[in-house]
Amino acid sequence: MDQQKRVEEHTTKIVEGIDKSMRKMQGDSLRCAANCYDNESYSIQRVQNCVRNCNNAVDQAQDYIKDELGRVQNRLQRCVMDCNDRIKDAVGPNPSQRDVDKFSEQFDDCVTKCVDSYCEILPNMERTMKKVLSEKFQQ
């Protein structure tokens, strides 16, 4: 399987799992915001403040998720860049086609290990994120 596709499939699965765990919080936020609009005694500014307060926990949770996913994706990118650097260092000037093929295979093997490592840490990351979301951001 193409390594990029593996990363995308595993990441999508994690994001969908986390999204499902946040739906109650998102629904509560929307119901809260609807109540802000239902209060006809509120000024425009007060409605906006009320809605902002309703969305605060969801916004913070989404920022947390984005940061965590970004952190682990950066880790994958650094690993792949390290593979690239190793191959560049090993190739030397004017490589033969045989050398290019050999180093290309080494690069692919290295990237596969990076992706394997990335995919292995995702389930634990998902559990941790769900735990943090339920403890820190649920209202």
Side-chain angles (χ1 to χ4, degrees), residues 91 95-108:
V91 169
S96 67
Q97 185 59 46
R98 186 170 161 236
D99 287 339
V100 169
D101 293 343
K102 178 181 84 169
F103 289 122
S104 179
E105 187 176 320
Q106 287 177 4
F107 176 76
D108 290 344

Side-chain angles (χ1 to χ4, degrees), residues 2-17:
D2 176 52
Q3 298 308 326
Q4 184 173 354
K5 186 172 179 154
R6 274 183 63 207
V7 167
E8 289 170 5
E9 287 177 356
H10 279 80
T11 303
T12 298
K13 182 180 174 190
I14 297 302
V15 169
E16 287 177 357

Side-chain angles (χ1 to χ4, degrees), residues 33-56:
N35 288 331
C36 298
Y37 287 106
D38 288 343
N39 192 327
E40 293 180 9
S41 69
Y42 282 3
S43 67
I44 293 171
Q45 186 63 43
R46 189 159 181 198
V47 168
Q48 290 173 347
N49 289 340
C50 180
V51 169
R52 194 173 309 117
N53 287 337
C54 292
N55 293 330
N56 196 31

Side-chain angles (χ1 to χ4, degrees), residues 57-128:
V58 171
D59 291 343
Q60 288 178 356
Q62 288 172 337
D63 287 345
Y64 165 72
I65 292 165
K66 181 180 160 193
D67 289 347
E68 288 299 302
L69 288 172
R71 183 182 58 77
V72 76
Q73 287 172 336
N74 284 339
R75 195 165 146 185
L76 173 61
Q77 289 172 343
R78 287 192 313 271
C79 184
V80 171
M81 287 177 12
D82 185 53
C83 294
N84 192 44
D85 290 344
R86 288 180 195 192
I87 297 304
K88 281 183 179 179
D89 291 345
V91 169
N94 303 318
S96 67
Q97 185 59 46
R98 186 170 161 236
D99 287 339
V100 169
D101 293 343
K102 178 181 84 169
F103 289 122
S104 179
E105 187 176 320
Q106 287 177 4
F107 176 76
D108 290 344
D109 291 345
C110 185
V111 169
T112 297
K113 288 177 185 173
C114 293
V115 172
D116 289 346
S117 175
Y118 173 84
C119 292
E120 286 173 14
I121 65 172
L122 287 177
N124 187 48
M125 184 184 90
E126 180 182 16
R127 281 189 296 279
T128 300

